[in-house]
Amino acid sequence: MKILDGKVPPGPIAEKWENYKSTIPLVAPNNKRRLDVIVIGTGLAGASAAASFGELGYNVKCFSFHDSPRRAHSIAAQGGINAAKNYQNDGDSVHRLFYDTIKGGDYRSREGNVHRLAEVSTNIIDQCVAQGVPFAREYGGLLENRSFGGVQVSRTFYARGQTGQQLLLGAYQALSRQIGLGTVDMYNRHEMMDIVMVDGKARGIIARNLLTGKLERHSAHCVVMATGGYGNVYYLSTNAMLCNVSAAWRAVRQGAYMANPCFTQIHPTCIPVSGDYQSKLTLMSESLRNDGRVWVPKRKEDAEAIRQGKKSPNDLKEEDRDYYLERRYPAFGNLVPRDVASRAAKVACDEGFGVNPTGLAVYLDFAAAIQRYGLSEANTQGNKNPDAETIRILGEAKVEELYGNLFEMYEKITGDNPYKTPMMIYPAIHYTMGGLWVDYNLETNIPGLFALGECNFSDHGANRLGASALMQGLADGYFVIPYTIGTFLSNDIRTSRFSADSEAFMAAEKAVDDRLKGLMNIKGNQSVETFHRKLGHIMWNYCGMARNAEGLEKARTLIRALREEFYKDVFIPGTDNDFNPELEKAYRVSDFLEMGEIMILDAYNRNESCGGHFREEYQSEEGEAQRNDDAYTYVAAWEWKDTSTEPVMHKEELKFENVELKTRSYK
């Protein structure tokens, strides 16, 4: 076991980043033109990084397996982006954003990185406004804010329920400008298959042209990965079906460490599972919890009647409803963090109060918000005694202004009108806080290999607060990596370009080709989809919202057996040297089968509950997560060799010098 160095600079935390930027090694403008950078991924982190590198003068190759960078999954982050602007004058500050993020992550993230994130958050908003991102504005023209879970201020900037999409379009236009200028070469429909190592450093990649099946060799002085998380290991999640861990897992197979893989986020506000035919779940933005009230019936007989269709939620009077988040967490109410809200929903349903036919759903009700907004709008118009119909019309119009596209999406999927009937929601796998281990420079333990955004582990600890994913992606891409990449490249200004025809590249390409042919040659009887579904059931049942030692031991045995079955009986139609989506999927599922095992191993090793990692053996009398700070205040960074070798855990000790370690409370 190694003790890892996060390379956080010394000094007061509020001065670390500014001082570090002033002393960091630089690459002169004339030398940037001689250096090549590969960027994998075109979400917010990847697109902003590639655009920034191009603007700085580097030669950039950018890769996306989508047909356009605009298809990156960042568009799905609907609710907003955090920044410590304090436009509402409600007490926000950089320190408060830093503290909320550390606390929200249940004290399992690195202080230096989190404070830097809070610092640069203010710059992100200015950058995006300059790009034309249509943030919501108040009546006077100032940018509007709303609240998200785990905080007591309004710091979330938003564009209705399309914030991620609008931010991605801003980053995409910056990237497109660099493509037009010739500083960025864009490779759409290309998937990174492996990292190429030269003398122990990342010097290029092997990519597969997904339209032709051809393998390609691409060299560079360094590689920057911004390829998202691994939530689809659970099969059913809020992620698009193309989201995967393969790029990051290729890095792990080359020696990169996977940090805190058991820290996965369960989002409380998703449309419940309808049946086995589903391939993904739909997220209802956390922004809805600003105005929606979460409840279940107080009496089990009412819940049973609703499940059987004998009653509707509107039949229950106010006194017959249990607004359990408001009851259990009065200080934060419906805006508790995601992990807390998710476990509370699970408890309510486990106790028999679930409200859909499966018993796995709670209500998110907007009746009170419609009434409140309706009265306010009527009074604004000078109508001091509005009738009920006027209140309803005005209230619904205001709610539509704030959340209209989300309500429309819900009605199209479920057939229910959420203006008239409460939404039904239930927790689902969403974001992954674990990822490639990186230091303060966002560099992995492999020299020359950097990881940005959800692909790394660095900022969110055991639970991510809402509206912080977009913040981290743009912070890393626009304001961190353009500086810190110089710590590596400043030593490479005399290094000539690497030949993609060298022995290292040829060997890497052959290894990828052999693996693809090996998958094609299995010629079994079961579809790739079948194995992915089976894996998802194992992960959700034993390493989902709750985990215990017995279940995790069983899950590891089940995954190993499933992996053995996969390599004996998977069926992949077509050929490996042509367009073949099933081969792409098989490649990714084979990686999920390994990633799932290391997630389970990490969860088994962490004998405490914290954030999204809830071990049933470690909980308070009230059912809250119970940390063990004496034994587990560290980052667990796993080194994976192969399926026949036991993974090795390395540690980075977490030091809390600016935040007091204490029980996380939202009461």
Side-chain angles (χ1 to χ4, degrees), residues 589-635:
V589 170
S590 67
D591 292 331
F592 281 143
L593 286 165
E594 295 178 358
M595 181 68 198
E597 181 175 352
I598 208 168
M599 290 167 66
I600 286 167
L601 183 59
D602 188 40
Y604 182 79
N605 181 76
R606 189 170 283 274
N607 294 313
E608 65 166 352
S609 291
C610 55
H613 168 66
F614 190 75
R615 282 283 298 270
E616 293 175 338
E617 306 97 319
Y618 307 101
Q619 56 182 301
S620 67
E621 293 181 0
E622 295 81 21
E624 304 293 347
Q626 198 167 56
R627 300 195 318 267
N628 182 348
D629 293 335
D630 292 335
Y632 293 98
T633 311
Y634 62 76
V635 177

Side-chain angles (χ1 to χ4, degrees), residues 133-394:
V133 173
F135 287 121
R137 293 181 180 268
E138 296 177 331
Y139 179 77
L142 298 177
L143 295 183
E144 174 71 283
N145 292 119
R146 58 188 176 199
S147 297
F148 260 60
V151 305
Q152 292 180 309
V153 296
S154 293
R155 66 163 65 103
T156 303
F157 296 78
Y158 65 96
R160 295 189 74 184
Q162 306 170 356
T163 314
Q165 180 178 354
Q166 298 301 330
L167 291 172
L168 185 61
L169 288 173
Y172 173 67
Q173 73 178 17
L175 175 61
S176 296
R177 178 173 181 271
Q178 297 305 315
I179 294 171
L181 291 172
T183 62
V184 175
D185 291 329
M186 188 68 225
Y187 292 84
N188 295 325
R189 298 298 283 141
H190 280 68
E191 182 163 19
M192 192 207 89
M193 307 300 284
D194 210 350
I195 302 284
V196 179
M197 305 287 289
V198 178
D199 297 328
K201 299 178 180 179
R203 297 299 195 184
I205 66 168
I206 305 299
R208 183 171 184 267
N209 184 323
L210 298 180
L211 297 178
T212 66
K214 181 183 177 182
L215 294 179
E216 301 175 3
R217 304 187 293 270
H218 295 273
S219 64
H221 290 87
C222 68
V223 177
V224 177
M225 294 182 57
T227 53
Y230 47 89
N232 268 348
V233 70
Y234 289 89
Y235 187 74
L236 283 180
S237 78
T238 66
N239 294 279
M241 285 301 291
L242 284 178
C243 294
N244 63 87
V245 74
S246 283
W249 197 248
R250 295 303 95 207
V252 172
R253 279 176 160 260
Q254 291 287 359
Y257 300 155
M258 181 61 71
N260 296 338
C262 76
F263 288 165
T264 54
Q265 180 162 81
I266 317 292
H267 198 295
T269 318
C270 300
I271 297 178
V273 176
S274 296
D276 290 337
Y277 59 86
Q278 284 182 273
S279 60
K280 75 175 300 293
L281 297 172
T282 303
L283 172 68
M284 290 286 100
S285 169
E286 183 177 325
S287 62
L288 294 174
R289 288 198 279 143
N290 269 275
D291 288 309
R293 301 178 71 194
V294 179
W295 65 274
V296 292
K298 282 185 177 179
R299 295 191 294 266
K300 288 185 180 179
E301 53 266 33
D302 286 337
E304 181 64 29
I306 289 173
R307 288 197 293 269
Q308 294 176 357
K310 296 176 181 178
K311 282 187 177 181
S312 78
N314 294 328
D315 292 332
L316 269 63
K317 298 177 181 179
E318 191 76 4
E319 58 267 25
D320 295 326
R321 304 177 179 190
D322 178 16
Y323 295 94
Y324 58 85
L325 291 179
E326 299 171 30
R327 170 175 55 81
R328 292 179 60 178
Y329 309 101
F332 285 75
N334 296 293
L335 286 172
V336 292
R338 292 173 176 178
D339 60 316
V340 176
S342 294
R343 282 197 296 276
K346 181 180 186 297
V347 168
C349 292
D350 287 349
E351 292 177 349
F353 296 99
V355 294
N356 73 343
T358 66
L360 299 177
V362 299
Y363 286 126
L364 184 62
D365 195 330
F366 289 85
I370 290 171
Q371 176 76 9
R372 183 178 69 253
Y373 283 129
L375 280 171
S376 177
E377 289 293 309
N379 290 334
T380 300
Q381 296 173 11
N383 185 353
K384 300 301 181 182
N385 295 296
D387 57 51
E389 183 64 10
T390 299
I391 292 171
R392 182 190 65 78
I393 292 172
L394 292 174

Side-chain angles (χ1 to χ4, degrees), residues 549-563:
E550 182 181 359
L552 291 166
E553 287 178 342
K554 181 178 180 181
R556 194 175 185 197
T557 300
L558 291 173
I559 281 187
R560 288 182 165 186
L562 184 64
R563 188 167 61 225

Side-chain angles (χ1 to χ4, degrees), residues 468-480:
S468 289
L470 301 181
M471 176 174 62
Q472 186 202 354
L474 290 178
D476 286 356
Y478 279 138
F479 298 107
V480 178

Side-chain angles (χ1 to χ4, degrees), residues 320-618:
D320 295 326
R321 304 177 179 190
D322 178 16
Y323 295 94
Y324 58 85
L325 291 179
E326 299 171 30
R327 170 175 55 81
R328 292 179 60 178
Y329 309 101
F332 285 75
N334 296 293
L335 286 172
V336 292
R338 292 173 176 178
D339 60 316
V340 176
S342 294
R343 282 197 296 276
K346 181 180 186 297
V347 168
C349 292
D350 287 349
E351 292 177 349
F353 296 99
V355 294
N356 73 343
T358 66
L360 299 177
V362 299
Y363 286 126
L364 184 62
D365 195 330
F366 289 85
I370 290 171
Q371 176 76 9
R372 183 178 69 253
Y373 283 129
L375 280 171
S376 177
E377 289 293 309
N379 290 334
T380 300
Q381 296 173 11
N383 185 353
K384 300 301 181 182
N385 295 296
D387 57 51
E389 183 64 10
T390 299
I391 292 171
R392 182 190 65 78
I393 292 172
L394 292 174
E396 288 185 5
K398 181 62 178 178
V399 170
E400 182 179 9
E401 178 186 322
L402 293 169
Y403 314 109
N405 60 310
L406 300 172
F407 276 54
E408 180 182 357
M409 183 167 63
Y410 181 88
E411 185 170 7
K412 284 185 175 181
I413 292 172
T414 67
D416 289 334
N417 181 348
Y419 294 103
K420 311 295 183 186
T421 305
M423 288 183 180
M424 285 193 290
I425 57 168
Y426 194 69
I429 291 292
H430 181 51
Y431 189 91
T432 53
M433 284 76 64
L436 293 176
W437 183 87
V438 293
D439 61 18
Y440 191 73
N441 296 320
L442 304 184
E443 188 173 17
T444 70
N445 58 294
I446 294 178
L449 179 64
F450 296 80
L452 316 182
E454 190 180 1
C455 185
N456 74 36
F457 86 99
S458 66
D459 290 14
H460 306 298
N463 173 66
R464 178 176 67 79
L465 292 182
S468 289
L470 301 181
M471 176 174 62
Q472 186 202 354
L474 290 178
D476 286 356
Y478 279 138
F479 298 107
V480 178
I481 194 65
Y483 288 96
T484 61
I485 201 168
T487 59
F488 179 80
L489 290 179
S490 61
N491 297 315
D492 262 12
I493 55 177
R494 292 184 177 86
T495 304
S496 60
R497 286 190 166 93
F498 296 88
S499 172
D501 295 324
S502 67
E503 183 178 342
F505 280 84
M506 301 282 279
E509 181 183 1
K510 184 179 185 305
V512 171
D513 189 51
D514 289 347
R515 186 162 188 244
L516 292 173
K517 283 182 167 55
L519 288 170
M520 291 299 306
N521 289 333
I522 295 172
K523 300 186 185 306
N525 298 300
Q526 298 184 64
S527 68
V528 177
E529 185 85 353
T530 298
F531 285 100
H532 196 181
R533 283 181 183 273
K534 289 179 179 179
L535 173 63
H537 282 300
I538 295 170
M539 295 301 299
W540 180 251
N541 290 335
Y542 300 108
C543 195
M545 271 202 283
R547 303 106 186 253
N548 59 59
E550 182 181 359
L552 291 166
E553 287 178 342
K554 181 178 180 181
R556 194 175 185 197
T557 300
L558 291 173
I559 281 187
R560 288 182 165 186
L562 184 64
R563 188 167 61 225
E564 184 177 346
E565 184 183 1
F566 174 88
Y567 284 107
K568 289 180 179 177
D569 201 34
V570 71
F571 170 70
I572 306 168
T575 65
D576 64 306
N577 56 2
D578 202 350
F579 175 74
N580 192 341
E582 281 300 296
L583 177 57
E584 298 168 34
K585 188 170 184 180
Y587 191 86
R588 297 165 186 165
V589 170
S590 67
D591 292 331
F592 281 143
L593 286 165
E594 295 178 358
M595 181 68 198
E597 181 175 352
I598 208 168
M599 290 167 66
I600 286 167
L601 183 59
D602 188 40
Y604 182 79
N605 181 76
R606 189 170 283 274
N607 294 313
E608 65 166 352
S609 291
C610 55
H613 168 66
F614 190 75
R615 282 283 298 270
E616 293 175 338
E617 306 97 319
Y618 307 101

